[in-house]
Amino acid sequence: MNPPSTRTDPIEYRYPGSTDTINQARVDLVGWLRANGLDALAADAELVVSELTSNAVEASPGEPYTVAASVESDAVRISVSNPSTAELPADSNWAPESVLAPQGRGLFIVKALSESVDIEQTERETIVSAKLPLPRD
Amino acid sequence: MATIVQRMTTPQPSRLTLSSSADERAVIVVGTIDSHTAESLLDELNRLGTADDAVLDLSQVDFIDSSGLRTIVTAHQQFDAGASQLVLRDPSDAVIRLLEITGLVGHLHLA
């Protein structure tokens, strides 16, 4: 594997806000990781971006959403933003209400795969960022 | 700062193929179960009904996320409520991985 380096250019892609673009968002992110020698993160990142983009489309259907990814010193940051400014549900560890509850697993899965998850809300958009630790050599 | 690239043209949507078996009450799933495709799976399971046990063959699922899992859990509950079982047959690595992350392995009927 190539060592991650500052040569890795970040990406920022914008997609139409419908579920038929989510596969493309996964394909694009995995392609970027592989092109940068980060194959080891592909499976986790694919799941993370699928959850975050699904949430984005659900929060603001029909509105474009953006996926940004960059390599930091010890992690890959994946950020998904959408133009919804609706109040976010309270953080109850983002766990489903019970193990068999139908809802509430998306962010729980993201958190399980990430070193940290940040949610930022501005007057214009909601941005959810997940940091996936780089594999140690 | 990266230039924002518009990914507006010809996206390839997620693909899911569902087929049934003439010999048993089964739905065979091939492809991706996500927020784009999960509803069609739930529709297919609803068509099957919960009057008797059924099999959901997950051996050819190449990707699944929480939207897919929601469909499976919902169907599992419906079958249990109807005193029958939805058996998840031969789940692929992608399915097993998600069941492990979410702690669902011991709560569904796996075969």
Side-chain angles (χ1 to χ4, degrees):
Chain A
M1 183 183 294
N2 299 326
S5 75
T6 52
R7 286 181 294 110
T8 305
D9 289 327
I11 52 168
E12 191 164 355
Y13 289 166
R14 181 175 292 152
Y15 303 88
S18 66
T19 58
D20 61 2
T21 63
I22 286 171
N23 184 59
Q24 190 66 52
R26 288 193 300 259
V27 168
D28 287 341
L29 182 66
V30 168
W32 175 78
L33 288 167
R34 293 195 193 288
N36 288 291
L38 295 167
D39 303 47
L41 283 181
D44 285 357
E46 185 179 32
L47 198 44
V48 165
V49 82
S50 195
E51 299 297 347
L52 295 183
T53 56
S54 296
N55 286 351
V57 170
E58 195 179 342
S60 52
E63 302 280 351
Y65 64 90
T66 303
V67 177
S70 57
V71 177
E72 302 185 343
S73 57
D74 57 355
V76 166
R77 179 184 293 277
I78 301 165
S79 300
V80 176
S81 61
N82 73 84
S84 167
T85 54
E87 196 176 334
L88 299 164
D91 179 359
S92 55
N93 291 326
W94 298 326
E97 287 181 8
S98 70
V99 72
L100 280 173
Q103 304 271 15
R105 278 192 195 83
L107 274 177
F108 174 80
I109 291 166
V110 173
K111 207 175 177 188
L113 297 173
S114 303
E115 180 181 287
S116 63
V117 180
D118 296 305
I119 300 182
E120 183 190 350
Q121 209 159 32
T122 71
E123 289 176 0
R124 290 173 35 244
E125 61 185 354
T126 300
I127 308 162
V128 185
S129 296
K131 273 175 78 172
L132 276 61
L134 291 173
R136 294 171 201 277
D137 291 330
Chain B
M1 201 62 193
T3 307
I4 300 179
V5 178
Q6 304 282 349
R7 301 291 281 168
M8 301 299 233
T9 51
T10 61
Q12 17 165 324
S14 317
R15 297 186 64 171
L16 177 69
T17 307
L18 303 170
S19 55
S20 53
S21 163
D23 305 326
E24 56 177 353
R25 284 167 47 78
V27 176
I28 296 137
V29 185
V30 181
T32 291
I33 320 176
D34 64 4
S35 57
H36 188 58
T37 61
E39 202 173 318
S40 63
L41 173 58
L42 192 59
D43 288 347
E44 186 67 26
L45 289 166
N46 284 337
R47 260 194 293 279
L48 204 58
T50 61
D52 207 346
D53 292 356
V55 168
L56 187 61
D57 187 312
L58 298 173
S59 61
Q60 298 169 83
V61 174
D62 54 30
F63 180 81
I64 180 170
D65 66 10
S66 68
S67 305
L69 208 51
R70 182 192 310 171
T71 295
I72 290 172
V73 168
T74 299
H76 167 90
Q77 306 273 48
Q78 288 170 354
F79 275 82
D80 273 16
S84 52
Q85 283 196 352
L86 178 66
V87 177
L88 309 181
R89 185 166 67 197
D90 195 11
S92 66
D93 289 349
V95 176
I96 290 285
R97 180 164 167 269
L98 197 60
L99 293 179
E100 285 176 346
I101 292 169
T102 53
L104 276 164
V105 169
H107 296 269
L108 301 170
H109 308 298
L110 298 177

